[in-house]
Amino acid sequence: MRPDFLRPWRAAAWDHGAASHLLRRAGFGGTPAEVAEALSLGPQETLERAFLDRGDPSLHASIEPLLSAGGIESLQAWWMSLILESGAPLRERMALVWHDHFATSNDKVDDVRLMHRQNELFRASGLGDFRELLHDVARDAAMLVWLDGNSNRAEQPNENFARELLELFALGIGSYTEDDVREVARAFSGWGTEGRSSTFRAEHHDARPKTIFGHTGAWTGDDALELVLEHPACCRHVARVLLEAFVMPSPADEWVEGVAGLLLECEWGVARTLEVLLASELFFSSAARRSRIAGPVELVAATARALDARIAPRLAARMASDMGQALFRPPSVKGWDGGRHWIHSGTWIARHNALVELATAAQVGDGRVHVDLERSFGDALDALPGRALAALIPNGSSTRFEQTLASAARGARDANHARQVVAAVVLTAPEYHLY
Amino acid sequence: MQLSRRQLLVHGAGAGVLARWLPLLAARADAARQERVLVVLHLQGGNDALNMVVPHRQDRYYVLRPTLALKRSALHALDDDHGLHPAMNDLAALYAEGRLTVVQAVGHPHPDRSHFRATEIWHTGCPLGPSPGIGWLGRLSDQIWQREPGSMPALHVGDDEVPLALVGREYVAPSVSAELGLQLAELEGLDAARAGLLDASDGAGDVAFLRDVARGAYRAVERMERATERPDPVSYPDLPLARRLQRIARLLEGGFETRVFFATLGGFDTHARQAAQHASLLEQLSRSLGAFERHLAAAGLSERVATVVFSEFGRRAAENASRGTDHGAAAPVLVLGGPGRGGMRGSAPDLEALEDGDVPFQADLRSLWSTFEQEWMGLAPSSAFPPLAL
């Protein structure tokens, strides 16, 4: 029996705001045409489409020369191109959620091929069975380098992976003891890398019995993962990740319990869980709408899409880096702290600059932006404030806001300048930065 | 008049007078502290401080350094026992004026010869156990941020990543390029409309928070622009460190709110044929700090600004076979202004009594950081180590 808040939302109030909400959360926002299409399709079909992969296969093929070149900026730009293209919105969204969750940085791994391979793992398995994902992440070469698998040997255990597995990846503080960390580390002893492959060095594995969460046995690393997955805190931990990423920060305990139950009911299937969650009353509730401070990657991508802008992926990735989210380089194994941590004077200035550049389609550095605001906002100047607000902050309009925009439009040199100023004012308004 | 609460108690006043004046004086002292600024310079790579502050009276120095020892006659005399590297004219002058304090042999009981680990220790102020992941200046920034949300408590001036020292739990300082500073993309008509919108006081939660930060950011840029419009009262040498310090001085002169600045000068990892490279780095350090100090003085800011110069470790007392030096341990720290009274603190390193080839430490770095945290900035220290009397 599912809790009430997971009941399907009645689509009676399916409007511009609801459609934008779904397109933003289940991907990286919609272009004006996609929002219009979603409005006619209804929530169910819009959600189904978010699960599809309709992307350009050549984008995937373009990766090899970038990897040969070796720079992390190329890999960042490549992922950004998949995000901006939005051929598979939910897949890329979920990959970003897992990148933040299983946060691994190239600053230590120092190998773009390994970073790319981990990214492809999130892309291929991110919407599948979480249990398989966890097993795959544990033997992912980038992760093994990142959390010191090679130095975890029977004679000298390294607890780095074991600790983060329990603390950050699967259970959360308070659900295990320091002894559990030590014992889990012993279970993973011998897991390491050879070249770019993961490997098991039996001579470094501690085969003696271990006691993990009170269960004693000669546990291997895979056994330890199974014990972690059977721990009652694990499904709650994953449920919290999904709620925070897709619904709202600081979810109520009752929702965490409900979504944890749903996850088990769906046999740990992430896609199946999201099919229910993203169609639920909770998801569409007014408390959930625009309840998150937009992260840099989603802000840049959603803005480019809302303005129907063409932007060089390398430039988009650099904009996000300037705002504090360099893909493949999270600040620590905790990932990005997010929320209000995204925002301080320095990052606000970076947001301002990127968004004004998008609104004015300025050429920046080696990247180019092209925007056709007339197509997005029309040519009727008196309708401009209303249309810009509806497109960028649906349901976020106020008289004061509209008056400010109208007066800015009246003071402009010509129609094009008016559209640029109105777009820039909306994009740099604090309200726009809620996602 | 600036009296700390403790000074007042020590110097003694009638109890009644004390009761009446204490709150006022304390408030005044707090207000003064809230204006104070700390500039931290990291000499990256491990500065060979034995060839910066040279204990030239000790014959052992010449034995340990057959090719690298500096001639006594070429040094700038500091006190009877020490001379400053010949390339450091400006710092020698600042020492003579009483502006420069040399704190001897700062270190800690767990020296580590890894750049990474040693840097982590200095940046966090935690020589023991795993890194707490936040820096000592990050802790200060957090405290200022809690008092003034939306402000910019700390800034990293440079093009590299934000150093661990500036990573706080709540606030992580941004990096500002010395050349570009904070530049705002302009669009005619945007300023006026934006000002109107940010003027609003409705809304709560995240929107109010975003609005506060945005207002603070635009104010900061305005001030920075005003600060940069004015011609500098002094000329700076064309050197990377000088440009970073110039940026800091301009910000302070323009009334910028930031209280903690961090900059680095790299290249000190001198394992081979170090003499020329080391001299050129020390010259850069000295000339840059000289111009910075002259700028502060001309702007009337000297009293408000303290600068501390450290490196993650000193180098071995003995030179190696490549006319260079290898990773060492404790080393002198330079303090300009602030809590320093000028002159030499601590005694000359005894080169006859080295520990594992290194100068043993005299002052704990945690006490040094406490001095700046508590005495200078008036904030909670990151350790229980008592401040040093500088």
Side-chain angles (χ1 to χ4, degrees):
Chain A
M1 182 64 191
R2 286 183 195 159
D4 286 353
F5 56 82
L6 287 177
R7 279 191 310 222
W9 179 65
R10 283 200 317 270
W14 180 244
D15 59 6
H16 200 99
S20 301
H21 175 64
L22 180 55
L23 289 171
R24 276 196 307 270
R25 295 288 175 88
F28 294 89
T31 62
E34 285 167 349
V35 177
E37 190 189 26
L39 273 171
S40 69
L41 291 173
Q44 198 54 43
E45 212 173 324
T46 302
L47 181 57
E48 280 164 23
R49 288 197 174 198
F51 279 98
L52 299 178
D53 177 1
R54 301 184 291 176
D56 175 0
S58 71
L59 277 178
H60 293 274
S62 68
I63 186 66
E64 185 44 44
L66 298 179
L67 293 177
S68 304
I72 194 67
E73 289 82 9
S74 300
L75 190 59
Q76 291 171 333
W78 175 79
W79 192 4
M80 204 44 140
S81 69
L82 290 173
I83 288 171
L84 286 166
E85 179 213 27
S86 205
L90 196 50
R91 184 191 68 194
E92 297 305 321
R93 161 62 64 183
M94 204 62 228
L96 184 58
V97 171
W98 292 133
H99 176 43
D100 193 1
H101 182 68
F102 295 111
T104 306
S105 171
N106 190 57
D107 285 4
K108 176 166 172 185
V109 175
D110 198 21
D111 186 335
V112 291
R113 284 184 186 275
L114 292 191
M115 296 307 294
H116 170 251
R117 202 184 299 160
Q118 187 188 67
N119 190 240
E120 288 289 12
L121 168 62
F122 296 149
R123 187 164 292 114
S125 310
L127 285 164
D129 185 328
F130 178 81
R131 295 169 297 191
E132 285 171 24
L133 179 67
L134 189 66
H135 277 274
D136 289 345
V137 166
R139 44 169 52 81
D140 172 67
M143 181 60 80
L144 284 162
V145 174
W146 172 238
L147 295 181
D148 301 316
N150 281 329
S151 20
N152 188 10
R153 298 158 180 227
E155 59 279 18
Q156 202 172 26
N158 183 303
E159 295 172 1
N160 209 355
F161 177 73
R163 182 174 303 281
E164 306 311 356
L165 171 69
L166 302 190
E167 177 179 334
L168 300 171
F169 299 160
L171 298 182
I173 284 175
S175 305
Y176 57 90
T177 66
E178 279 298 306
D179 286 338
D180 290 326
V181 174
R182 272 190 292 276
E183 299 287 276
V184 170
R186 289 177 54 217
F188 282 103
S189 57
W191 288 40
T193 54
E194 201 179 302
R196 289 197 169 104
S197 308
S198 56
T199 182
F200 177 70
R201 298 152 304 163
E203 70 276 21
H204 292 308
H205 180 69
D206 181 347
R208 291 169 300 165
K210 299 118 190 147
T211 302
I212 299 173
F213 315 132
H215 306 284
T216 304
W219 307 123
T220 64
D222 284 316
D223 295 333
L225 289 171
E226 288 304 314
L227 288 167
V228 163
L229 286 161
E230 281 162 23
H231 194 296
C234 187
C235 56
R236 286 200 290 267
H237 194 70
V238 178
R240 189 176 289 278
V241 171
L242 297 178
L243 279 161
E244 286 177 354
F246 289 96
V247 181
M248 70 179 91
S250 315
D253 289 345
E254 167 201 5
W255 305 340
V256 174
E257 285 301 325
V259 174
L262 175 64
L263 186 65
L264 294 180
E265 180 195 323
C266 298
E267 295 169 310
W268 296 90
V270 175
R272 289 177 58 197
T273 305
L274 290 179
E275 276 167 21
V276 177
L277 185 62
L278 299 185
S280 68
E281 287 182 2
L282 179 64
F283 177 76
F284 284 104
S285 66
S286 59
R289 309 252 185 122
R290 292 198 172 271
S291 57
R292 295 173 47 230
I293 291 182
V297 167
E298 61 197 7
L299 182 73
V300 172
T303 304
R305 296 176 58 68
L307 296 179
D308 237 342
R310 285 201 305 277
I311 177 170
R314 194 171 286 267
L315 174 60
R318 198 168 63 224
M319 284 173 168
S321 298
D322 289 347
M323 298 175 191
Q325 192 176 25
L327 290 172
F328 301 105
R329 295 184 58 200
S332 79
V333 65
K334 292 209 307 290
W336 290 279
D337 287 330
R340 293 191 181 188
H341 292 278
W342 289 126
I343 308 294
H344 57 66
S345 320
T347 54
W348 182 265
I349 289 165
R351 283 175 182 239
H352 171 103
N353 288 345
L355 295 170
V356 171
E357 281 155 13
L358 278 169
T360 54
Q363 183 186 335
V364 191
D366 57 357
R368 290 187 73 87
V369 191
H370 176 78
V371 178
D372 185 352
L373 289 178
E374 186 172 351
R375 199 176 55 184
S376 310
F377 298 155
D379 57 358
L381 283 192
D382 47 348
L384 184 55
R387 295 190 65 167
L389 273 172
L392 297 169
I393 317 181
N395 306 349
S397 167
S398 69
T399 320
R400 181 193 173 106
F401 210 150
E402 290 210 26
Q403 281 168 354
T404 304
L405 293 177
S407 111
R410 277 195 304 274
R413 282 191 309 274
D414 53 37
N416 194 42
H417 182 216
R419 281 186 288 265
Q420 290 184 350
V421 175
V422 165
V425 173
V426 176
L427 296 177
T428 57
E431 291 83 353
Y432 180 70
H433 294 254
L434 299 180
Y435 193 84
Chain B
M1 181 177 61
Q2 283 181 27
L3 275 181
S4 77
R5 196 180 306 222
R6 203 186 53 194
Q7 278 167 327
L8 191 73
L9 290 171
V10 170
H11 293 305
V17 177
L18 195 66
R20 246 177 300 139
W21 284 99
L22 193 55
L24 184 60
L25 287 171
R28 225 180 258 172
D30 284 350
R33 279 177 168 163
Q34 289 190 16
E35 294 284 298
R36 286 180 180 172
V37 171
L38 176 58
V39 178
V40 181
L41 287 187
H42 180 178
L43 308 180
Q44 276 177 329
N47 175 30
D48 182 20
L50 206 54
N51 266 16
M52 177 174 77
V53 179
V54 182
H56 57 73
R57 294 256 169 214
Q58 300 182 47
D59 295 338
R60 186 83 188 143
Y61 169 69
Y62 299 93
V63 176
L64 288 164
R65 304 200 149 191
T67 76
L68 289 179
L70 297 160
K71 284 203 188 72
R72 189 178 300 171
S73 56
L75 299 170
H76 297 285
L78 295 178
D79 60 8
D80 291 345
D81 299 317
H82 299 90
L84 202 60
H85 191 286
M88 304 181 89
N89 301 342
D90 285 296
L91 281 178
L94 287 161
Y95 186 90
E97 288 165 25
R99 178 77 178 162
L100 171 62
T101 308
V102 177
V103 191
Q104 288 280 10
V106 185
H108 57 91
H110 311 279
D112 195 300
R113 295 191 201 279
S114 138
H115 290 290
F116 178 78
R117 177 64 187 139
T119 297
E120 192 172 77
I121 289 170
W122 277 85
H123 282 217
T124 59
C126 299
L128 276 173
S131 160
I134 58 170
W136 75 284
L137 299 171
R139 285 199 197 90
L140 293 187
S141 311
D142 280 347
Q143 295 177 54
I144 301 168
W145 172 260
Q146 275 158 15
R147 196 168 62 203
E148 300 154 36
S151 67
M152 198 189 280
L155 204 55
H156 170 230
V157 180
D159 300 312
D160 304 331
E161 246 179 288
V162 174
L164 175 59
L166 286 177
V167 174
R169 212 175 290 285
E170 302 267 326
Y171 178 84
V172 179
S175 284
V176 170
S177 152
E179 276 74 22
L180 296 176
L182 295 175
Q183 287 194 331
L184 212 49
E186 306 267 2
L187 178 63
E188 194 188 328
L190 175 59
D191 275 9
R194 179 184 72 215
L197 280 181
L198 289 179
D199 228 14
S201 53
D202 56 317
D206 285 340
V207 169
F209 168 78
L210 283 156
R211 195 187 287 140
D212 280 349
V213 175
R215 265 201 298 253
Y218 294 127
R219 218 172 35 226
V221 174
E222 260 169 47
R223 287 206 207 129
M224 191 179 283
E225 277 169 359
R226 247 182 285 143
T228 352
E229 277 165 12
R230 211 175 310 162
D232 290 330
V234 299
S235 70
Y236 279 82
D238 186 18
L239 296 165
L241 180 64
R243 284 191 285 275
R244 287 169 208 147
L245 292 172
Q246 182 182 27
R247 164 69 55 193
I248 295 171
R250 283 177 173 179
L251 292 178
L252 291 171
E253 197 183 5
F256 209 62
E257 65 196 357
T258 296
R259 312 269 317 286
V260 176
F261 294 90
F262 194 99
T264 56
L265 177 62
F268 283 89
D269 198 13
T270 50
H271 286 282
R273 293 179 301 282
Q274 78 168 38
Q277 189 191 350
H278 193 237
S280 132
L281 286 168
L282 292 184
E283 185 189 346
Q284 174 167 188
L285 176 66
S286 175
R287 290 179 65 198
S288 306
L289 281 169
F292 180 63
E293 286 292 330
R294 285 192 291 279
H295 192 165
L296 294 181
L301 289 164
S302 301
E303 290 302 306
R304 277 182 53 206
V305 182
T307 303
V308 54
V309 184
F310 78 97
S311 190
E312 67 264 32
F313 40 60
R315 304 188 82 82
R316 312 297 283 269
E319 68 177 65
N320 62 23
S322 319
R323 280 173 286 146
T325 47
D326 298 324
H327 301 180
V333 160
L334 306 180
V335 176
L336 288 145
R341 288 163 291 152
M344 194 72 64
R345 295 291 166 276
S347 51
D350 181 354
L351 299 181
E352 301 288 349
L354 298 174
E355 278 175 11
D356 197 13
D358 289 324
V359 171
F361 87 97
Q362 292 178 33
D364 196 296
L365 74 90
R366 288 163 285 189
S367 281
L368 181 72
W369 287 168
S370 285
T371 317
F372 288 99
E373 292 161 334
Q374 239 174 310
E375 306 277 293
W376 181 245
M377 302 295 279
L379 296 166
S382 50
S383 77
F385 280 69
L388 303 170
L390 295 183

